Amino acid sequence: MQSDRPTGDVSENGVWSAVVPRTMAGERLDVFLSSAFKDGGLSRSKIQSLIKSGSASVDGEVARKPKLKLSGGETIALTVDLPSAELAPEDAPLDVIHADEHLVVVNKPWGLTVHPAPAQPSGTLVNRLAHHFPAIMSMEGERPGVVHRIDKDTSGLLLVALDEKTRLALSAAFAGRDVDKDYLAIVHGVPQDESSGRQTGTIDAPIGRDPKSKTKMAVVDKGGREALSEWEVLWSSPDGQASLVRVHIYTGRTHQIRVHMAHIGHPLMGDAIYGARQHKEWLRDSGHDASLAPRQMLHAWRLGFTHPETEQDMRFVLEPPEDFRRLLFTLARTTVRVGVVGMPGCGKSALSGFLREAGVPVFSADDAVAALYEHGEDGWTLVRRRFGEEFAPDGEPVAKGRLFAGMRQSEDFRREVLDIVHPLVQHRLEEFWAQHADAPVAVAEVPLLVEGGWDERGIVDMVVGVHCPEAVRRGRLEDRGWDEATMAALEAWQWSEADKLARCAHVVDNSGTLDDLHAEAQRLLQRIDADRRADEEREHQRIMALWSGDKDASAGADATAS
């Protein structure tokens, strides 16, 4: 991106000089120089040291006060250790996407500075270009061939001219907005246009130096330069914590995408300058290591322009690097939320116990109800408020025997009880899912799950049923002291076993011994893991298709790199 920081000329004796723009009237001398040399890596403290040592002058007079206020229009000079006038070629890797005698398109890796600067005279992309394309050595200036830039920690496509005529033509094309630039960004949250409610929008907001922090850029009310970006959400993580966004920029302001996306409340993941708070919170809440997003997650994805010599339409598409893909695939991972159902006495709890022993987080709706019915808890309070102290006595838990008897006598009463209890249990279950969001699999044993439509409403991802011969399970219930009337009532409130199992992705057979059920539990986990891996692979393919299926790339030069 093109910078709007103050620029100047370098004399033969290594003195940098520039005229202070009128728009920077009132600025301090050290702030002005820090702005000018930010790309060179000169810190504010280094600038201040240079000023105090007498290395700076204002209109020919030595200025030793870093806080000196400028009026605008002055000529500022600073003596620094500038790069050698002769560019030093470096034999280092260069990923060339396209090259001809006039220009080259390269894939710039993140972490690589584009051109030499006072604090980094070597180790840049231009140093590598000088080795692989010596023609740029004949061009003037410290940035030979550079017609646009991307930040050091941004990856992707970069266009470089190999001769002065091409450089001038391409620079004019960038200035005239005749170059198409699309970026991929991973941002916090899911952007949504406030007026339309759609996941696409335009940001038309001027960018200038942040009045609160001179080392940052910001959307400003006064003194900024026009900045126009369009964005579109391509994909969002299942938990809504992050999105893959396409951003098309019409202007090339410093940090434009980073500033604009932060301005609408969705900064880039990994951006330590414009999204530090959001990224810190995400790392804390997700438990992920900071190495998962080691830089601002921004990639120069598509580049289109007219070749200045051949007039050919040139279009390039470049898939994101490995760290970008790794973050997206990690964000796409979800816990497989499994609901376990079955008829009374079928062995749901025994299966859940074996899964818990295998390290799987397990939720029990029955245990949740028991906790909710304790004195003073939400279930106790609501039952007492609706049905009176007969069912929720002072100092005691809910009288479940009386409640059950009332439910058997009246269908309306039973439905009222379920209307109280089910939302509370669902809330506890959702808290359970959130607590175990990093687990590959989590299980909830909920007897009336399918009857309540929890699978259809997306409260669980998969339903597993437990089958047990009727005679066997009734015998188990009799051993627990259940009479025929109780069994009949509970079964009447549920779907038939056939209807339950018809809604299940997997059915566990519990017609044998406990050892047999333990083996079934192990096989179930293997099947669920296979399903999860297949779903992840399908999601990975879907994500990759978002950046590889570019229809425009088939036009013109058809120069697609992936």
Side-chain angles (χ1 to χ4, degrees):
M1 298 180 188
Q2 294 172 330
S3 174
D4 62 350
R5 284 191 281 270
T7 57
D9 299 317
V10 180
S11 66
E12 292 182 358
N13 59 358
V15 177
W16 179 90
S17 63
V19 176
V20 180
R22 295 293 181 184
T23 57
M24 298 190 76
E27 197 65 274
R28 288 171 32 157
L29 176 61
D30 60 342
V31 173
F32 172 79
L33 290 172
S34 295
S35 175
F37 284 97
K38 181 169 174 53
D39 279 343
L42 289 181
S43 65
R44 176 80 70 85
S45 60
K46 177 62 174 177
I47 291 289
Q48 291 172 341
S49 297
L50 288 170
I51 295 172
K52 292 176 182 178
S53 69
S55 297
S57 66
V58 178
D59 287 337
E61 297 291 333
V62 174
R64 298 180 182 271
K65 295 181 179 180
K67 296 182 179 180
L68 176 67
K69 291 294 183 67
L70 302 174
S71 301
E74 302 100 325
T75 297
I76 308 297
L78 181 70
T79 302
V80 293
D81 294 328
L82 293 166
S84 170
E86 184 176 345
L87 182 66
E90 296 177 3
D91 186 2
L94 189 66
D95 187 359
V96 178
I97 305 301
H98 169 85
D100 57 44
E101 61 180 314
H102 304 284
L103 56 85
V104 58
V105 177
V106 299
N107 172 20
K108 187 193 84 68
W110 74 270
L112 181 64
T113 299
V114 171
H115 57 74
Q120 188 173 345
S122 60
T124 72
L125 178 68
V126 168
N127 293 104
R128 299 184 185 190
L129 284 163
H131 171 80
H132 294 274
F133 298 93
I136 71 168
M137 298 283 288
S138 62
M139 302 173 67
E140 297 181 355
E142 300 170 42
R143 308 171 185 176
V146 175
V147 293
H148 72 125
R149 290 177 291 164
I150 55 179
D151 294 336
K152 175 182 178 181
D153 286 337
T154 296
S155 58
L157 294 165
L158 192 75
L159 173 61
V160 179
L162 296 181
D163 58 70
E164 189 64 17
K165 178 182 177 182
T166 302
R167 186 190 70 80
L168 292 173
L170 291 176
S171 295
F174 274 97
R177 301 184 184 181
D178 295 325
V179 178
D180 289 329
K181 294 170 287 182
D182 278 318
Y183 291 74
L184 293 176
I186 306 176
V187 304
H188 290 281
V190 183
Q192 186 173 5
D193 183 73
E194 293 183 358
S195 59
S196 68
R198 300 173 60 188
Q199 292 183 355
T200 182
T202 300
I203 307 172
D204 186 358
I207 292 176
R209 189 66 54 186
D210 189 337
K212 297 180 181 179
S213 176
K214 299 302 182 181
T215 62
K216 296 169 60 176
M217 307 302 291
V219 170
V220 294
D221 295 328
K222 297 180 180 180
R225 300 180 66 188
E226 179 192 13
L228 181 63
S229 307
E230 287 183 350
W231 58 269
E232 176 190 9
V233 175
L234 301 180
W235 174 89
S236 295
S237 63
D239 60 7
Q241 293 297 305
S243 298
L244 174 66
V245 178
R246 176 190 65 83
V247 184
H248 182 85
I249 59 173
Y250 294 93
T251 51
R253 306 300 172 228
T254 302
H255 299 170
Q256 178 171 324
I257 293 174
R258 299 164 65 187
V259 171
H260 269 177
M261 295 310 297
H263 177 65
I264 64 171
H266 300 279
L268 274 60
M269 301 192 79
D271 195 332
I273 296 177
Y274 301 104
R277 177 182 59 80
Q278 293 90 335
H279 194 62
K280 182 179 180 180
E281 292 174 354
W282 175 75
L283 289 174
R284 180 197 64 205
D285 296 340
S286 67
H288 290 306
D289 187 85
S291 61
L292 187 60
R295 46 105 176 190
Q296 72 259 8
M297 303 311 291
L298 184 61
H299 175 71
W301 172 40
R302 299 194 295 197
L303 180 65
F305 60 94
T306 299
H307 196 292
E309 187 68 25
T310 67
E311 299 185 352
Q312 186 179 16
D313 186 21
M314 309 291 289
R315 297 200 174 270
F316 301 89
V317 181
L318 181 67
E319 76 170 17
E322 192 275 336
D323 70 318
F324 198 100
R325 301 194 304 270
R326 183 178 66 247
L327 175 58
L328 279 176
F329 295 159
T330 299
L331 292 168
R333 292 175 188 165
T334 58
T335 300
V336 181
R337 303 169 302 168
V338 179
V340 175
V341 301
M343 301 302 289
C346 69
K348 299 187 297 295
S349 296
L351 174 65
S352 297
F354 287 133
L355 296 176
R356 186 182 286 109
E357 289 177 6
V360 176
V362 175
F363 172 90
S364 167
D366 289 343
D367 290 345
V369 171
L372 288 164
Y373 279 172
E374 288 294 327
H375 179 265
E377 294 296 325
D378 291 344
W380 182 93
T381 301
L382 292 175
V383 167
R384 182 183 175 93
R385 184 180 302 165
R386 178 65 185 88
F387 303 117
E389 62 182 27
E390 175 187 358
F391 296 96
D394 287 333
E396 298 180 19
V398 168
K400 290 187 288 186
R402 293 179 202 151
L403 206 63
F404 182 70
M407 294 169 68
R408 289 177 59 182
Q409 293 173 4
S410 169
E411 178 64 17
D412 289 340
F413 182 86
R414 184 181 77 87
R415 290 190 178 279
E416 283 192 74
V417 173
L418 295 182
D419 287 344
I420 290 173
V421 174
H422 276 194
L424 296 175
V425 173
Q426 180 181 333
H427 179 68
R428 293 286 179 93
L429 177 55
E430 289 171 347
E431 289 181 331
F432 171 81
W433 294 143
Q435 292 168 3
H436 300 284
D438 58 342
V441 179
V443 168
E445 179 192 338
V446 184
L448 299 181
L449 187 148
V450 293
E451 288 85 348
W454 286 17
D455 53 337
E456 293 180 330
R457 288 154 52 198
I459 299 173
V460 298
D461 303 313
M462 175 189 299
V463 183
V464 170
V466 181
H467 164 68
C468 182
E470 183 177 358
V472 175
R473 63 180 182 80
R474 282 181 167 268
R476 292 172 180 164
L477 294 175
E478 289 175 359
D479 291 341
R480 298 180 198 170
W482 288 32
D483 57 29
E484 188 65 31
T486 300
M487 285 187 274
L490 286 174
E491 291 190 3
W493 297 340
Q494 301 187 32
W495 289 4
S496 69
E497 182 183 58
D499 288 339
K500 278 181 181 281
L501 299 185
R503 294 280 280 271
C504 297
H506 300 290
V507 176
V508 173
D509 180 24
N510 187 25
S511 58
T513 65
L514 279 177
D515 287 341
D516 294 333
L517 182 60
H518 183 267
E520 282 284 316
Q522 298 300 314
R523 285 190 286 271
L524 173 65
L525 288 178
Q526 292 173 0
R527 293 195 293 269
I528 293 174
D529 185 64
D531 290 344
R532 179 180 61 83
R533 292 180 183 276
D535 287 343
E536 284 186 358
E537 179 59 28
R538 282 191 291 270
E539 188 66 7
H540 291 180
Q541 294 299 324
R542 189 171 80 87
I543 292 172
M544 289 190 293
L546 294 172
W547 58 64
S548 62
D550 177 62
K551 297 179 181 179
D552 294 336
S554 60
D558 194 21
T560 301
S562 59

Coordinates of all heavy atoms in Angstrom, one line a residue, residues 399-437:
A399 N -40.2 -31.7 46.0 CA -40.8 -33.0 46.3 C -41.0 -33.7 45.0 O -42.1 -33.6 44.5 CB -42.0 -32.8 47.2
K400 N -40.0 -34.4 44.5 CA -40.1 -35.1 43.2 C -41.2 -36.1 43.2 O -41.9 -36.3 42.1 CB -38.8 -35.7 42.8 CG -37.7 -34.6 42.5 CD -36.5 -35.2 41.9 CE -35.7 -36.0 43.0 NZ -34.4 -36.5 42.5
G401 N -41.5 -36.8 44.3 CA -42.6 -37.8 44.3 C -43.9 -37.2 44.1 O -44.7 -37.7 43.3
R402 N -44.2 -36.1 44.8 CA -45.5 -35.4 44.6 C -45.6 -34.8 43.2 O -46.6 -34.8 42.5 CB -45.6 -34.3 45.6 CG -45.7 -34.7 47.0 CD -45.8 -33.5 48.0 NE -45.4 -33.9 49.3 CZ -44.9 -33.1 50.2 NH1 -44.7 -31.8 49.8 NH2 -44.6 -33.5 51.4
L403 N -44.5 -34.3 42.7 CA -44.5 -33.7 41.3 C -44.8 -34.8 40.3 O -45.6 -34.6 39.4 CB -43.1 -33.1 41.1 CG -43.1 -31.9 40.1 CD1 -43.9 -30.7 40.5 CD2 -41.6 -31.5 39.8
F404 N -44.1 -36.0 40.5 CA -44.3 -37.1 39.5 C -45.8 -37.6 39.6 O -46.4 -37.8 38.5 CB -43.4 -38.2 39.9 CG -43.5 -39.4 38.9 CD1 -43.0 -39.3 37.6 CD2 -44.0 -40.6 39.4 CE1 -43.1 -40.4 36.8 CE2 -44.1 -41.7 38.5 CZ -43.7 -41.6 37.2
A405 N -46.3 -37.6 40.8 CA -47.7 -38.1 40.9 C -48.7 -37.1 40.2 O -49.6 -37.5 39.5 CB -48.1 -38.2 42.4
G406 N -48.4 -35.8 40.4 CA -49.2 -34.8 39.7 C -49.1 -34.9 38.2 O -50.1 -34.7 37.5
M407 N -47.9 -35.2 37.7 CA -47.7 -35.3 36.3 C -48.4 -36.5 35.7 O -48.9 -36.5 34.6 CB -46.2 -35.4 36.0 CG -45.4 -34.1 36.3 SD -43.6 -34.3 36.2 CE -43.4 -34.6 34.5
R408 N -48.5 -37.6 36.5 CA -49.3 -38.8 36.1 C -50.8 -38.5 36.0 O -51.5 -39.1 35.2 CB -49.0 -40.0 37.0 CG -47.5 -40.5 36.8 CD -47.3 -41.6 37.8 NE -48.2 -42.7 37.7 CZ -48.1 -43.8 38.4 NH1 -47.2 -43.9 39.4 NH2 -49.0 -44.8 38.2
Q409 N -51.3 -37.7 36.9 CA -52.7 -37.5 37.0 C -53.2 -36.5 36.0 O -54.4 -36.5 35.6 CB -53.1 -37.0 38.4 CG -52.8 -38.0 39.5 CD -53.0 -37.4 40.9 OE1 -53.4 -36.2 41.0 NE2 -52.8 -38.2 41.9
S410 N -52.3 -35.5 35.6 CA -52.8 -34.5 34.7 C -51.7 -34.2 33.6 O -50.6 -33.9 33.9 CB -53.0 -33.2 35.5 OG -53.2 -32.1 34.6
E411 N -52.2 -34.3 32.3 CA -51.3 -34.0 31.2 C -50.9 -32.5 31.2 O -49.8 -32.2 30.9 CB -51.9 -34.5 29.9 CG -51.1 -34.1 28.6 CD -49.8 -34.9 28.6 OE1 -49.6 -35.9 29.3 OE2 -48.9 -34.5 27.8
D412 N -51.9 -31.7 31.5 CA -51.7 -30.3 31.5 C -50.6 -29.9 32.6 O -49.7 -29.1 32.3 CB -52.9 -29.5 31.8 CG -53.9 -29.5 30.6 OD1 -53.5 -29.8 29.5 OD2 -55.1 -29.3 30.9
F413 N -50.7 -30.5 33.8 CA -49.7 -30.3 34.8 C -48.4 -30.8 34.4 O -47.4 -30.1 34.6 CB -50.2 -31.1 36.1 CG -49.3 -30.9 37.3 CD1 -49.4 -29.8 38.1 CD2 -48.2 -31.8 37.5 CE1 -48.6 -29.6 39.2 CE2 -47.4 -31.6 38.6 CZ -47.6 -30.5 39.4
R414 N -48.3 -31.9 33.7 CA -47.0 -32.5 33.2 C -46.4 -31.5 32.2 O -45.2 -31.2 32.3 CB -47.2 -33.8 32.6 CG -45.9 -34.5 32.1 CD -46.1 -35.8 31.5 NE -46.6 -35.6 30.1 CZ -45.8 -35.5 29.0 NH1 -44.5 -35.5 29.2 NH2 -46.3 -35.4 27.8
R415 N -47.2 -30.9 31.3 CA -46.6 -30.0 30.3 C -46.1 -28.7 31.0 O -45.1 -28.1 30.6 CB -47.7 -29.7 29.3 CG -47.9 -30.9 28.4 CD -48.8 -30.5 27.2 NE -49.0 -31.7 26.3 CZ -48.1 -32.1 25.4 NH1 -47.0 -31.5 25.3 NH2 -48.4 -33.2 24.7
E416 N -46.8 -28.3 32.0 CA -46.4 -27.1 32.7 C -45.0 -27.3 33.4 O -44.2 -26.4 33.4 CB -47.4 -26.7 33.8 CG -48.7 -26.0 33.2 CD -49.5 -25.3 34.3 OE1 -49.1 -24.3 34.8 OE2 -50.6 -25.9 34.6
V417 N -44.9 -28.5 34.0 CA -43.6 -28.8 34.6 C -42.5 -28.9 33.6 O -41.4 -28.3 33.8 CB -43.7 -30.2 35.4 CG1 -42.3 -30.6 35.9 CG2 -44.7 -30.1 36.5
L418 N -42.8 -29.5 32.4 CA -41.7 -29.6 31.4 C -41.4 -28.2 30.9 O -40.2 -27.9 30.5 CB -42.2 -30.5 30.3 CG -42.4 -32.0 30.6 CD1 -42.9 -32.7 29.4 CD2 -41.2 -32.6 31.2
D419 N -42.4 -27.3 30.8 CA -42.1 -26.0 30.3 C -41.2 -25.2 31.2 O -40.5 -24.3 30.8 CB -43.5 -25.2 30.1 CG -44.2 -25.7 28.9 OD1 -43.6 -26.4 28.0 OD2 -45.5 -25.4 28.8
I420 N -41.3 -25.6 32.5 CA -40.4 -24.9 33.5 C -39.0 -25.5 33.4 O -38.0 -24.8 33.4 CB -41.0 -25.1 34.9 CG1 -42.2 -24.3 35.1 CG2 -39.9 -24.7 36.0 CD1 -42.9 -24.5 36.4
V421 N -38.9 -26.9 33.4 CA -37.6 -27.6 33.5 C -36.8 -27.6 32.3 O -35.6 -27.3 32.3 CB -37.9 -29.0 34.0 CG1 -36.6 -29.8 34.1 CG2 -38.5 -29.0 35.4
H422 N -37.4 -27.8 31.1 CA -36.6 -28.0 29.9 C -35.8 -26.8 29.5 O -34.6 -26.9 29.2 CB -37.6 -28.3 28.7 CG -37.9 -29.8 28.7 ND1 -38.5 -30.4 27.6 CD2 -37.7 -30.8 29.6 CE1 -38.6 -31.7 27.8 NE2 -38.1 -32.0 29.0
P423 N -36.3 -25.5 29.6 CA -35.4 -24.4 29.3 C -34.2 -24.3 30.3 O -33.1 -23.9 29.8 CB -36.4 -23.2 29.4 CG -37.7 -23.7 29.2 CD -37.7 -25.1 29.8
L424 N -34.5 -24.6 31.5 CA -33.4 -24.6 32.5 C -32.3 -25.6 32.2 O -31.1 -25.3 32.3 CB -33.9 -24.8 33.9 CG -34.9 -23.7 34.4 CD1 -35.4 -24.1 35.8 CD2 -34.2 -22.4 34.5
V425 N -32.8 -26.8 31.8 CA -31.8 -27.9 31.5 C -31.0 -27.5 30.2 O -29.8 -27.7 30.1 CB -32.5 -29.2 31.3 CG1 -31.5 -30.3 30.8 CG2 -33.1 -29.7 32.6
Q426 N -31.8 -26.9 29.2 CA -31.1 -26.5 28.0 C -30.0 -25.5 28.3 O -28.9 -25.5 27.7 CB -32.1 -26.0 27.0 CG -31.5 -25.5 25.7 CD -32.5 -25.0 24.7 OE1 -33.7 -25.3 24.7 NE2 -32.1 -24.1 23.8
H427 N -30.3 -24.5 29.2 CA -29.4 -23.5 29.5 C -28.1 -24.1 30.1 O -27.0 -23.8 29.8 CB -30.0 -22.5 30.5 CG -29.0 -21.4 30.9 ND1 -28.5 -20.4 30.0 CD2 -28.4 -21.2 32.1 CE1 -27.7 -19.7 30.7 NE2 -27.6 -20.0 31.9
R428 N -28.3 -25.1 31.0 CA -27.2 -25.8 31.7 C -26.4 -26.5 30.6 O -25.2 -26.6 30.7 CB -27.7 -26.7 32.7 CG -28.3 -26.1 34.0 CD -27.3 -25.4 34.9 NE -27.8 -24.8 36.0 CZ -28.0 -25.3 37.2 NH1 -27.6 -26.6 37.4 NH2 -28.5 -24.7 38.2
L429 N -27.1 -27.1 29.7 CA -26.4 -27.9 28.6 C -25.6 -26.9 27.7 O -24.4 -27.2 27.4 CB -27.4 -28.6 27.7 CG -26.8 -29.4 26.5 CD1 -25.7 -30.4 27.0 CD2 -27.9 -30.1 25.8
E430 N -26.1 -25.8 27.4 CA -25.4 -24.8 26.6 C -24.1 -24.3 27.3 O -23.1 -24.1 26.7 CB -26.3 -23.7 26.2 CG -27.3 -24.1 25.1 CD -28.4 -23.0 24.9 OE1 -28.5 -22.1 25.7 OE2 -29.1 -23.2 23.9
E431 N -24.2 -24.2 28.6 CA -23.1 -23.8 29.4 C -22.0 -24.9 29.4 O -20.8 -24.7 29.3 CB -23.5 -23.5 30.8 CG -24.2 -22.2 31.0 CD -24.6 -22.0 32.5 OE1 -24.7 -23.0 33.3 OE2 -24.7 -20.8 32.9
F432 N -22.5 -26.2 29.4 CA -21.6 -27.3 29.3 C -20.9 -27.4 28.0 O -19.7 -27.6 27.9 CB -22.5 -28.6 29.5 CG -21.7 -29.9 29.3 CD1 -20.9 -30.4 30.2 CD2 -21.9 -30.5 28.1 CE1 -20.2 -31.6 30.0 CE2 -21.2 -31.7 27.8 CZ -20.4 -32.3 28.8
W433 N -21.6 -27.2 26.9 CA -21.0 -27.1 25.6 C -19.9 -26.1 25.5 O -18.8 -26.3 25.0 CB -22.0 -26.8 24.5 CG -23.1 -27.8 24.2 CD1 -24.4 -27.5 23.8 CD2 -23.0 -29.3 24.2 NE1 -25.1 -28.7 23.6 CE2 -24.3 -29.7 23.8 CE3 -22.0 -30.2 24.4 CZ2 -24.6 -31.1 23.7 CZ3 -22.3 -31.5 24.3 CH2 -23.6 -32.0 23.9
A434 N -20.2 -24.9 26.1 CA -19.2 -23.8 26.0 C -18.0 -24.1 26.9 O -16.9 -23.8 26.5 CB -19.9 -22.5 26.6
Q435 N -18.2 -24.8 28.0 CA -17.0 -25.2 28.8 C -16.1 -26.2 28.2 O -14.9 -26.2 28.5 CB -17.5 -25.7 30.2 CG -18.2 -24.7 31.1 CD -19.0 -25.3 32.2 OE1 -18.9 -26.5 32.4 NE2 -19.6 -24.5 33.0
H436 N -16.7 -26.9 27.3 CA -15.9 -28.0 26.6 C -15.8 -27.8 25.1 O -15.7 -28.8 24.3 CB -16.5 -29.4 26.9 CG -16.6 -29.7 28.4 ND1 -15.5 -30.1 29.1 CD2 -17.6 -29.6 29.3 CE1 -15.8 -30.3 30.4 NE2 -17.1 -30.0 30.5
A437 N -15.7 -26.5 24.7 CA -15.7 -26.2 23.3 C -14.4 -26.7 22.6 O -14.3 -26.7 21.4 CB -15.8 -24.7 23.1

